[in-house]
Every structure is written in C-alpha cells, then in structure tokens.
Amino acid sequence: MKEVSIGLIGFGTVGTGVVKILQENRDILDARVGVPVRLKRIADLDLQTDRGVNVERSILTTDAWGLVRDPEISVVVELIGGYEPAKSLILEAFRNGKHVVTANKALLAEHGPEIFGAAYKAGADIAFEAAVAGGIPILRSLREGLVANRFEKVLAILNGTCNFILTAMDTNPRVSFDEVLREAQALGYAEADPSLDIDGIDSAHKLVLVLGLTHGIRVPVKSLHVEGIRNIDPFDVRMAHEFSYKIKLLAVIKSHGDDVDARLHPTLLPENHPLARVDGVFNGIYLRGDMVGEQLFYGRGAGCEPTASAVIGDVIEMARGVARGEVGRVPPLGYPETWKAPGRVKQISEINTNYYLRIHAMDRPGVLSKVSGIMSEHDISIHSVVQKVRQSSGTVPVVFLTHRAKEADIQTACERISRLEIVEGAPVVIRIEDETLD
Ligand code: HSE
C-alpha cells in the first residue's frame, strides 16, 4: 500500500485539531505508520469559516455521503456528533468497506448494538478513544494494556464541566451552583444548554462504554442509576470539607462476582484519595485490577488538541492495520461480538455503601432520637453525626454519616423521615466511597 487515505466528516473544534495534528506531526506519523497517512477529503456544511489551519479548497466538500462512498478512502473520521445523520453515515461507511473512527459517545452508548454489530458483519474496525475522557487513552489501556486483569473497581471523573463546577464550589464554598455554572458558561466550558453535562447524561454515556470494556456488559443508559450535580448545595460542600471529603461526580463500577454495581452520581470521596485531587476541567480514572493493583489516569477530557490526539491515535492504529492488510485485530469493546457476559448490573436498590444524610430538623428535645430511631429500625448504623447552629427558619441542619447500609433501607428510612413533622423537606442523600468506613 502506497498511502492510507482519510476522510473527515465535521470540521469543528475537534476536526480542526485533527487537521492540525495531521499537518504539524506529519513526519512522525508517517514514520510511525511506515507509509504516508493523507487527509483526502473533509466534509462540512460550513466551508466558509476560517479555522486557522491551511487546507486546499479542493479537498473540502459539503457532501458527506460522497465521502463515505469514495473508493480511495480507507478510514472515515466522524466528528459531527448527534444521532443522525451520524449513524447512517457510519453504517454507509461500513457498507462501503471503510473503517470508522468516532468521538460520538452518545451514539455508541444509545445505538451500540446496531453499530458494533454492523461493523462486525462488514469486517470493519470502529474505534472511539476520544469518546471517553478526551485525550486520556483509557479505552486502549482497558482493551489491551490491562487485558490480563479482572477489574475490581473503577471510579472515574468523566466530565470536565461538572468537575470545574464542583471544584469552584469547593474552592469558594460561599458561591452557589448557579453562579458557578454561569462562570463556566462565560469561560466556554459549559454549553448554553448545559443539561447533558450537569444532569450526568454525558458521563453516563461514557460509563456505558467503559463498562463494556471492563466487564463485557452492554446495557442502555436508561438501565443505569444516573444523578447529576444540579442539586449540590454549597452547605453540603462545606460539610464534606468538615468530614475531610470532597464531592465529585463519579462513575462507579464495582465487581461482585460476575455481577456489577454501575452507577453515576455525586459522591463523597476522602480528600486523600488520588481522584480527589483531580480538579478543574481535568478528568481522572482510578481503577484496581486484580493483577496490576491500583492505577490512576489523569488528563484533559475535552478541548481541540487533547481530543484530536485521541482521534489520531485511533486513525494511526487503523492506518497501520490497513497498511499491513490486517484489520479487526482487537474487537472494539475488547470481547468478541458474539460473547455474552454472564453477569448483570445490580439495581441501585441492591447496592450497599456508606451514606451522607442531611436533614433540616426543628431544634427540639427528642428530634434526634426520632430520626435515629427510624434509622435503627431499618438497620442503618450511624458512624458520626454533626448538628450545626440554628438557622433563621428555626431549623437546624443535622448531618449523619452511616456505616455500610443497603440502599433500599436508606430510601425507605428517608421516605419515613421526610414525613416527620419535625423535619423540613426530604433528606439530602449522597453516597460515600471510603474504604476506611465500614
Ligand atoms: N462536555 C464534556 C465535558 C466533554 O465537559 O467533559 C465532551 O464529552
């Protein structure tokens, strides 16, 4: 093979990064592949905007369908995002014998079975390193470098926007969630409609892909417990501090034999946990493999060049395969397409962990005993309790940390506590990841 030709669909932020890397690092990329890797065509609806990179006008087109059918192109890079026309373009690329690189986590998380199945049927490769944790090569590490391991535990910060907001609230515990969100939007970290990020959907899409790689379990997002950070109150951030914790939006995967716990929610993490130091827009993945022990991955989860770095990593892997005529070396999710995982994802009601519970109660005799009485009736053992000073409303905030308890018991107890006349509103419940509490 004289050269490997690439077609790029989507000339936005990441697409521009891809073009930049292919141009600026052309010498090392060609040397590493052994044959030239060339960008043959770029498809985008907007051919006017100056992206700050030089490309020959002749390779620009608005016709993405022509690109995925171009017989000279071997690898299609899909960076338009969204479900359609991205899905149909990818399927058409497979039908035309192309391999596909994409950063489209939402598409793969929601339509994975159809897309991975089509790639398998067509004998094509699909790679998506940029879909999870931007520039951090976590997927390839799970699929190849760490293939010797059973994954006992994965805790991951997978959304830079949420981590930026939580870090800002932690640094300045007097600012509200809304103020920090506005700052994140002004700095260009959060979208005008930030709901995909702050409601946890973006992280949950990434969790679905990671779970496919760690355990071979493929589930739709809607089957997972997903909670975002919209309801995080500065008071809880301050209380977390008092207990030497930080609040992070975590994707949690834990093995229980063949079954797993897989969930996404705000979590109290000890201040000395390696992930507690992953601040700002950075992403981090902490994992424990049965053979390798603990590992921490840290880096930028978004942005033009870091994300494009991951895209190019996939492009080069494919170009090497194409140049040698050997594709399909490693299945995209690390298990053969025909393999069926023996385990299942536990319901959230089945999990067992430690909890932070905060209530607002009347400052009267017997209140704590009523609340703790309900907790004891549901087998919930209190690890520590802190009552703060009375507020202008006449209520006092009381925070409990619990020993390990069953989620179903916590939910029932909280439901009963919220019905007490002496308690204002529903308890705030935040799960804790701390192996030193039992
Ligand atoms: N919006 C994501 C984040 C990056 O804030 O981390 C793309 O998944």
Side-chain angles (χ1 to χ4, degrees):
M1 170 151 297
K2 285 206 295 291
E3 65 175 43
V4 178
S5 293
I6 314 294
L8 168 65
I9 308 175
F11 200 7
T13 307
V14 180
T16 302
V18 165
V19 173
K20 186 174 165 203
I21 296 176
L22 285 173
Q23 291 176 346
E24 286 186 15
N25 288 355
R26 179 175 172 151
D27 52 345
I28 56 162
L29 296 178
D30 288 357
R32 286 170 180 167
V33 176
V35 297
V37 179
R38 292 293 168 262
L39 189 56
K40 168 96 192 312
R41 200 164 288 285
I42 302 175
D44 198 285
L45 294 178
D46 169 11
L47 302 184
Q48 302 310 321
T49 303
D50 178 6
R51 275 91 171 174
V53 286
N54 267 330
V55 286
E56 281 174 39
R57 277 210 79 80
S58 61
I59 72 165
L60 293 173
T61 178
T62 53
D63 180 14
W65 294 98
L67 185 153
V68 296
R69 292 172 187 141
D70 182 337
E72 285 181 20
I73 288 174
S74 306
V75 178
V76 170
V77 180
E78 181 276 305
L79 295 175
I80 52 176
Y83 298 114
E84 283 294 353
K87 185 174 95 172
S88 299
L89 285 165
I90 289 174
L91 296 177
E92 184 67 6
F94 292 151
R95 281 192 284 270
N96 283 272
K98 322 284 179 219
H99 310 290
V100 172
V101 174
T102 176
N104 198 331
K105 66 224 79 165
L107 180 63
L108 295 179
E110 301 287 356
H111 298 276
E114 184 181 354
I115 291 170
F116 293 121
Y120 176 68
K121 229 171 96 196
D125 265 342
I126 175 162
F128 45 95
E129 187 65 68
V132 179
I136 306 174
I138 182 63
L139 303 187
R140 184 167 290 109
S141 300
L142 293 172
R143 204 167 47 216
E144 301 197 55
L146 296 170
V147 71
N149 291 267
R150 290 177 196 279
F151 297 101
E152 297 169 350
K153 184 174 187 173
V154 180
L155 304 177
I157 296 171
L158 297 175
N159 187 276
T161 305
C162 290
N163 206 43
F164 174 86
I165 293 172
L166 291 174
T167 303
M169 290 177 78
D170 189 69
T171 313
N172 182 359
R174 245 146 279 285
V175 296
S176 70
F177 176 83
D178 288 335
E179 286 168 309
V180 178
L181 174 58
R182 277 197 295 276
E183 185 192 342
Q185 283 169 324
L187 288 170
Y189 294 138
E191 306 282 337
D193 173 5
S195 46
L196 264 187
D197 290 320
I198 65 178
D199 291 331
I201 312 298
D202 174 77
S203 301
H205 286 148
K206 296 165 180 168
L207 169 58
V208 164
L209 297 174
V210 172
L211 182 61
L213 281 155
T214 55
H215 288 78
I217 295 180
R218 301 188 190 181
V219 287
V221 175
K222 64 176 185 307
S223 70
L224 298 178
H225 179 83
V226 177
E227 258 176 67
I229 62 168
R230 215 181 266 276
N231 297 325
I232 295 294
D233 190 297
F235 178 80
D236 297 312
V237 176
R238 291 199 293 276
M239 287 308 298
H241 255 302
E242 286 197 23
F243 287 108
S244 301
Y245 289 114
K246 283 198 179 188
I247 302 180
K248 294 289 186 189
L249 181 66
L250 285 194
V252 177
I253 300 177
K254 286 184 188 173
S255 290
H256 302 278
D258 285 336
D259 292 346
V260 289
D261 233 359
R263 45 198 160 90
L264 188 282
H265 50 68
T267 310
L268 259 65
L269 204 55
E271 273 170 358
N272 62 4
H273 190 285
L275 271 191
R277 296 177 194 147
V278 174
D279 282 332
V281 291
F282 281 83
N283 284 196
I285 301 109
Y286 163 92
L287 61 82
R288 206 155 62 207
D290 60 348
M291 296 298 150
V292 79
E294 292 179 302
Q295 300 221 321
L296 182 72
F297 297 78
Y298 172 83
R300 290 185 187 278
C304 165
E305 283 140 1
T307 311
S309 162
V311 171
I312 294 291
D314 284 342
V315 167
I316 293 306
E317 183 179 352
M318 278 184 193
R320 284 170 166 154
V322 169
R324 282 173 186 68
E326 47 176 47
V327 290
R329 191 179 58 87
V330 186
L333 280 171
Y335 291 80
E337 204 44 37
T338 47
W339 192 75
K340 174 102 182 60
R344 67 177 186 102
V345 176
K346 290 180 166 205
Q347 298 293 311
I348 190 71
S349 57
E350 296 175 89
I351 73 159
N352 198 296
T353 189
N354 304 91
Y355 293 85
Y356 165 106
L357 301 183
R358 192 239 307 161
I359 59 167
H360 282 270
M362 311 304 282
D363 197 3
R364 283 203 212 130
V367 167
L368 272 190
S369 80
K370 267 217 177 86
V371 173
S372 59
I374 292 179
M375 287 163 77
S376 106
E377 281 167 35
H378 290 280
D379 227 11
I380 299 163
S381 167
I382 296 167
H383 176 280
S384 33
V385 57
V386 168
Q387 177 174 314
K388 304 306 276 186
V389 293
R390 190 187 297 194
Q391 300 189 324
S392 50
S393 62
T395 58
V396 283
V398 188
V399 173
F400 301 88
L401 300 193
T402 76
H403 287 288
R404 278 185 166 279
K406 291 192 188 128
E407 174 93 13
D409 290 334
I410 292 281
Q411 295 304 343
T412 315
C414 286
E415 210 269 318
R416 281 185 62 194
I417 292 168
S418 69
R419 280 193 270 118
L420 292 175
E421 266 179 22
I422 47 164
V423 169
E424 199 178 78
V428 168
V429 180
I430 308 179
R431 297 171 192 86
I432 305 175
E433 270 308 315
D434 181 356
E435 290 182 351
T436 66
L437 287 179
D438 57 8

